[in-house]
Amino acid sequence: MKILAPSILSADFLSLGDQIQKVINAGAHWIHCDIMDGAFVPNLTFGPMVVSAVNRCTDVPLDVHLMIRNPDPIIPEFITSGADYVTVHAEEVIHLHRTVSMIRELGAKPGIAINPATPLCMVEEILPFVSLVLVMSVNPGFGGQKFISTSLDKIQRLNTLRQRHNYDFLIEVDGGVNEDTITQLSEAGCDVFVAGSAVFRGNIHDSVKVLLDKMRNS
């Protein structure tokens, strides 16, 4: 199943609840929450309190992406707030197996994220233990960036590894996902598509429908 996960980073926070309901009513499957600390990435967003508020206004899975330094101490709070998936960055976490195990023990599904310049070999040993691998197709920190096309090859190679070893993780992509790139991403093996500005830039219902149609027909 292909999954569309709108990122609320691009939503209007003055009407966040209403905008979330619109994307869900239009057919989106998950809600993606980009957590940034102004240190690991050059931007600052929100924390567990907003995730908890989002959790109260929808029943769909919450996909929480932690772009923060030293995430371990705050991971339990995000899970308590309603995170179904918690993804940490391979570039930041030193004891990755320990962190992934903690996320699973606390009742959420663990994910691992890699930046555009990070090779797949950095995460091969953790692949049997995760539920999701997030391939960043832009440099993390801000929405609305241009898609880095070499990410397609990385997704294809990751999909090949998954098939060869019979792993069951989902492949997620975040950055530059829109009606022009989503077909290529789907064909490369992507399962979960994080779209921000492509969803919230205009008529939310129409934007979601366009992305869903292209995703399903690829």
Side-chain angles (χ1 to χ4, degrees), residues 119-136:
L120 286 179
C121 63
M122 293 290 291
V123 297
E124 283 192 46
E125 299 301 323
I126 199 65
L127 294 180
F129 305 99
V130 297
S131 299
L132 181 149
V133 179
L134 170 53
V135 176
M136 292 300 300

Side-chain angles (χ1 to χ4, degrees), residues 16-176:
L16 183 58
D18 178 63
Q19 296 219 323
I20 289 172
Q21 287 303 315
K22 284 181 178 178
V23 297
I24 299 304
N25 291 340
H29 308 98
W30 293 1
I31 294 297
H32 186 84
C33 301
D34 288 304
I35 312 300
M36 306 180 191
D37 64 356
F40 180 70
V41 294
N43 196 5
L44 187 66
T45 56
F46 51 87
M49 186 178 298
V50 171
V51 173
S52 179
V54 173
N55 187 48
R56 291 195 299 272
C57 71
T58 182
D59 294 327
V60 303
L62 299 188
D63 178 29
V64 174
H65 176 197
L66 299 181
M67 289 169 275
I68 63 177
R69 289 184 175 172
N70 189 28
D72 285 23
I74 201 169
I75 284 173
E77 193 169 348
F78 278 106
I79 295 174
T80 300
S81 297
D84 295 283
Y85 287 82
V86 175
T87 297
V88 297
H89 268 263
E91 300 86 1
E92 172 62 24
V93 178
I94 298 175
H95 302 291
L96 193 51
H97 183 272
R98 179 183 298 163
T99 299
V100 163
S101 298
M102 176 182 67
I103 293 169
R104 195 175 296 280
E105 289 167 2
L106 291 173
K109 296 180 180 180
I112 181 69
I114 51 175
N115 286 334
T118 302
L120 286 179
C121 63
M122 293 290 291
V123 297
E124 283 192 46
E125 299 301 323
I126 199 65
L127 294 180
F129 305 99
V130 297
S131 299
L132 181 149
V133 179
L134 170 53
V135 176
M136 292 300 300
S137 48
V138 299
N139 291 298
F142 298 94
Q145 297 185 67
K146 185 178 179 181
F147 177 76
I148 298 174
S149 60
T150 52
S151 304
L152 288 169
D153 177 66
K154 185 180 287 186
I155 293 166
Q156 290 170 344
R157 288 185 284 119
L158 183 59
N159 189 36
T160 297
L161 281 172
R162 176 172 62 175
Q163 294 174 348
R164 179 183 303 156
H165 298 287
N166 199 31
Y167 296 145
D168 62 357
F169 59 80
L170 296 170
I171 298 175
E172 181 175 58
V173 67
D174 185 356

Side-chain angles (χ1 to χ4, degrees), residues 161-195:
L161 281 172
R162 176 172 62 175
Q163 294 174 348
R164 179 183 303 156
H165 298 287
N166 199 31
Y167 296 145
D168 62 357
F169 59 80
L170 296 170
I171 298 175
E172 181 175 58
V173 67
D174 185 356
V177 177
N178 55 45
E179 59 188 89
D180 297 321
T181 59
I182 197 166
T183 298
Q184 291 175 293
L185 290 166
S186 182
E187 291 173 347
C190 184
D191 307 295
V192 185
F193 306 82
V194 178

